[in-house]
């Protein structure tokens, strides 16, 4: 799998993944048979760690070749979701709006697993479903913790969660912006001033449930804000190397968010996942420690960067298109032509037929790439044919509509 991932001289093909996948299924089947022993059902050892690494890379490979709606492709998302939920629980700063996208994604994955249950290997489905069940249990725990908060206080809870993230975001930058911190401090004081005898009130003047949650979060915001305001250094020297690594990864992932349609090979995310998991596992009792076992200054910054990286990876995984990387250049061209045609239509249409020629020529050249209605790469038929053909047809339809509108306007 690593050799295939590193080979940039050719596109990753479904046939390459399939042969490795069959080998992996055989190994998973052996593990499941061994674990049928009641005394070994809950055992977790080095074999499980390696299996998780291998399946993550395989899952990313499925995404790379465009098989995004298959059960194996969901494993990478589940691994990232699990880490995100763990960090949300640890931070105690989240709202229902943070949990809803995750809940929706787990629902999508459940549908994919149920749909593939008959066609996929029973042993693979068992492995993926176990991962999904773990994520679902974590999500339900977080949802339950918010059930004590009255609906009247949910907007305020969301506001405090947002402010806390903004505080840590400002504090994590190499150069501290005191002005931005002061503005956030003013927001906190304004929220605090709305309390009556230490309670946040409903519009009807009653005291709704969830006061402890909001007051605790408000206090946490003040604590983090004061830490950043009072300190000139972001992190202690002993944690500086970790800070630099996480900041670099965050910047790289944010750059990939902007260019992923053109440059991302989903298997590239594997290295980021491995580095982040290694850094995450270095924590002791939830904190990064130095050689003496102490937790130096800078914990909030490092945890923010770590969680931000996980969130970026999750967004990249979710945004993966059901198109093989071999066809991504064609899809990007069609998407660009479509956007241009939509913009021409939005701006009032064509002023002359000549304006349509470049788009028609480009679409004709792409159409001529097809063999019997399929986009071929060598002798292979990569995933994503339906989406590309639909996109090509939509572009032709837009050209026709623009021409008709122009003719009608002339008449």
């Amino acid at each position: 799998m690593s050799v295939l991932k590193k080979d940039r001289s050719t596109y990753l093909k479904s046939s390459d993944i399939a042969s490795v996948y069959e080998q992996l299924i055989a190994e998973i089947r052996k593990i499941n048979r061994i674990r049928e022993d009641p005394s070994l059902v809950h055992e977790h050892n080095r074999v499980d760690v390696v299996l998780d690494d291998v399946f993550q890379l395989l899952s990313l490979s499925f995404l790379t070749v465009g098989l995004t709606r298959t059960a194996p492709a969901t494993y990478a998302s589940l691994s990232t979701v699990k880490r995100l939920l763990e960090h949300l629980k640890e931070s105690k700063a989240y709202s229902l709006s943070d949990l809803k996208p995750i809940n929706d994604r787990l629902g999508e994955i459940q549908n994919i697993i149920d749909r593939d249950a008959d066609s996929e290997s029973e042993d693979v489905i068992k492995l993926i479903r176990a991962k999904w069940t773990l994520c679902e249990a974590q999500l339900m725990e977080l949802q339950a913790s918010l059930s004590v908060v009255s609906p009247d206080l949910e907007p305020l809870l969301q506001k405090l969660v947002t402010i806390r993230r903004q505080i840590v975001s400002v504090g994590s930058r190499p150069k501290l912006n005191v002005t931005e911190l002061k503005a956030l401090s003013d927001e906190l004081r304004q929220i605090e001033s709305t309390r009556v005898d230490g309670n946040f009130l409903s519009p009807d003047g009653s005291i709704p449930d969830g006061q402890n949650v909001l007051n605790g979060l408000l206090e946490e915001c003040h604590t983090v804000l004061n830490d950043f305001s009072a300190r000139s250094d972001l992190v202690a020297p002993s944690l500086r190397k970790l800070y630099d690594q996480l900041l670099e990864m965050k910047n790289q992932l944010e750059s990939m968010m902007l260019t992923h349609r053109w440059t991302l090979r989903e298997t590239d995310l594997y290295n980021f996942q491995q580095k982040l998991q290694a850094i995450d596992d270095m924590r002791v009792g939830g904190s990064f420690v130095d050689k003496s076992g102490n937790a130096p200054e800078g914990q909030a910054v490092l945890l923010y960067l770590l969680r931000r990286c996980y969130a970026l990876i999750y967004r990249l995984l979710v945004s993966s298109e059901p198109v093989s990387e071999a066809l991504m250049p064609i899809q990007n061209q069609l998407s660009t032509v479509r956007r241009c045609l939509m913009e021409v239509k939005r701006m009032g249409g064509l002023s002359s037929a000549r304006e349509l020629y470049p788009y028609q020529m480009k679409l004709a050249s792409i159409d001529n790439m097809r063999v019997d209605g399929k986009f071929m790469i060598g002798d292979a038929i990569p995933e994503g044919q339906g989406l590309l053909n639909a996109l090509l047809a939509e572009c032709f339809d837009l050209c026709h509509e623009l021409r008709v509108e122009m003719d009608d306007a002339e008449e």
Side-chain angles (χ1 to χ4, degrees):
M1 292 300 300
S2 295
V3 171
L4 290 172
K5 178 177 76 72
K6 292 175 183 177
D7 185 6
R8 292 283 183 169
S9 63
T10 183
Y11 292 117
L12 204 59
K13 298 186 287 293
S14 301
S15 56
D16 298 331
I17 304 303
S19 61
V20 178
Y21 184 39
E22 290 301 321
Q23 297 176 54
L24 182 59
I25 290 175
E27 299 305 313
I28 295 174
R29 187 173 294 118
K30 291 178 185 177
I31 295 172
N32 286 344
R33 297 300 170 267
I34 293 171
R35 295 281 168 82
E36 287 177 354
D37 183 337
S39 64
L40 300 176
V41 170
H42 301 294
E43 183 175 345
H44 190 278
N45 53 32
R46 179 63 183 164
V47 174
D48 300 277
V49 175
V50 177
L51 174 60
D52 183 69
D53 288 346
V54 173
F55 212 108
Q56 278 196 52
L57 183 50
L58 180 79
S59 178
L60 293 170
S61 299
F62 268 75
L63 293 173
T64 302
V65 298
L67 296 169
T68 59
R69 303 290 296 176
T70 59
T74 65
Y75 192 86
S77 286
L78 287 172
S79 295
T80 305
V81 165
K82 180 176 177 293
R83 293 279 181 169
L84 282 172
L85 291 170
E86 288 172 353
H87 279 280
L88 284 175
K89 179 182 178 181
E90 186 180 34
S91 70
K92 297 184 178 65
Y94 53 89
S95 64
L96 288 175
S97 61
D98 296 316
L99 301 182
K100 187 181 184 305
I102 296 178
N103 183 60
D104 293 343
R105 178 59 179 158
L106 287 179
E108 291 175 10
I109 292 175
Q110 183 184 26
N111 291 335
I112 292 172
I113 295 172
D114 292 342
R115 186 200 65 205
D116 288 1
D118 295 331
S119 57
E120 281 289 349
S121 162
E122 180 184 348
D123 295 282
V124 168
I125 292 295
K126 181 179 179 181
L127 178 68
I128 298 172
R129 202 182 291 279
K131 194 85 166 179
W132 180 90
T133 302
L134 193 60
C135 292
E136 180 71 8
Q138 290 177 318
L139 176 64
M140 290 179 66
E141 183 181 350
L142 295 182
Q143 290 173 331
S145 69
L146 291 179
S147 63
V148 299
V149 179
S150 167
D152 290 339
L153 295 183
E154 284 180 9
L156 192 53
L157 174 65
Q158 178 62 50
K159 181 66 174 175
L160 286 171
V161 168
T162 301
I163 290 176
R164 187 190 184 283
R165 288 176 183 160
Q166 290 174 332
I167 292 170
V168 186
S169 176
V170 171
S172 67
R173 298 172 194 163
K175 187 175 181 181
L176 200 64
N177 190 320
V178 178
T179 304
E180 288 187 62
L181 285 183
K182 185 179 183 305
L184 293 169
S185 177
D186 292 341
E187 280 193 70
L188 285 177
R189 279 199 291 271
Q190 184 178 358
I191 292 174
E192 200 166 16
S193 67
T194 63
R195 293 190 299 181
V196 177
D197 296 329
N199 294 312
F200 295 100
L201 303 182
S202 294
D204 60 4
S206 62
I207 301 176
D209 294 332
Q211 300 294 326
N212 291 340
V213 174
L214 265 69
N215 282 319
L217 188 52
L218 180 63
E219 186 63 31
E220 172 71 10
C221 288
H222 278 302
T223 300
V224 176
L225 184 67
N226 292 335
D227 286 346
F228 286 132
S229 301
R231 201 172 63 245
S232 58
D233 294 326
L234 285 172
V235 295
S238 59
L239 298 181
R240 188 72 198 187
K241 185 177 179 180
L242 279 179
Y243 169 78
D244 291 338
Q245 290 177 359
L246 288 168
L247 184 63
E248 182 182 3
M249 278 193 279
K250 182 181 83 75
N251 292 337
Q252 289 175 344
L253 289 166
E254 286 177 338
S255 177
M256 291 169 76
M257 284 295 300
L258 299 174
T259 63
H260 73 278
R261 288 181 61 87
W262 294 272
T263 62
L264 177 66
R265 175 183 258 191
E266 280 80 355
T267 49
D268 294 340
L269 297 175
Y270 178 75
N271 292 335
F272 287 99
Q273 287 180 322
Q274 294 301 296
K275 289 178 183 177
L276 288 174
Q277 288 174 17
I279 292 174
D280 204 357
D281 293 340
M282 290 170 61
R283 295 191 295 152
V284 178
S287 300
F288 294 99
V289 298
D290 55 22
K291 293 180 180 178
S292 303
N294 299 317
E297 295 290 339
Q299 301 293 325
V301 172
L302 294 183
L303 288 173
Y304 165 76
L305 291 173
L306 183 63
R307 290 161 185 165
R308 178 65 178 159
C309 288
Y310 275 129
L312 288 167
I313 288 177
Y314 174 72
R315 287 171 61 189
L316 286 166
L317 291 172
V318 170
S319 63
S320 180
E321 298 276 2
V323 177
S324 170
E325 66 167 347
L327 297 183
M328 282 304 293
I330 299 175
Q331 190 208 16
N332 290 333
Q333 292 175 50
L334 286 171
S335 297
T336 302
V337 171
R338 179 184 177 277
R339 281 199 300 273
C340 291
L341 290 171
M342 293 291 287
E343 187 65 16
V344 170
K345 190 170 184 178
R346 188 181 70 82
M347 296 298 291
L350 302 169
S351 57
S352 71
R354 189 183 299 273
E355 294 179 11
L356 206 54
Y357 290 164
Y359 303 112
Q360 291 174 323
M361 291 175 64
K362 183 62 182 177
L363 291 174
S365 68
I366 294 175
D367 194 16
N368 290 334
M369 294 180 183
R370 297 193 293 176
V371 179
D372 295 329
K374 299 180 179 65
F375 292 97
M376 307 283 289
I377 302 295
D379 296 329
I381 304 175
E383 298 292 331
Q385 301 292 327
L387 190 132
L388 261 66
N389 283 321
L391 198 53
L392 180 62
E394 184 181 1
C395 289
F396 276 125
D397 288 344
L398 284 169
C399 285
H400 178 69
E401 288 173 16
L402 286 168
R403 186 61 184 261
V404 169
E405 288 175 4
M406 185 190 70
D407 292 342
D408 290 345
E410 287 179 352
E411 290 178 5

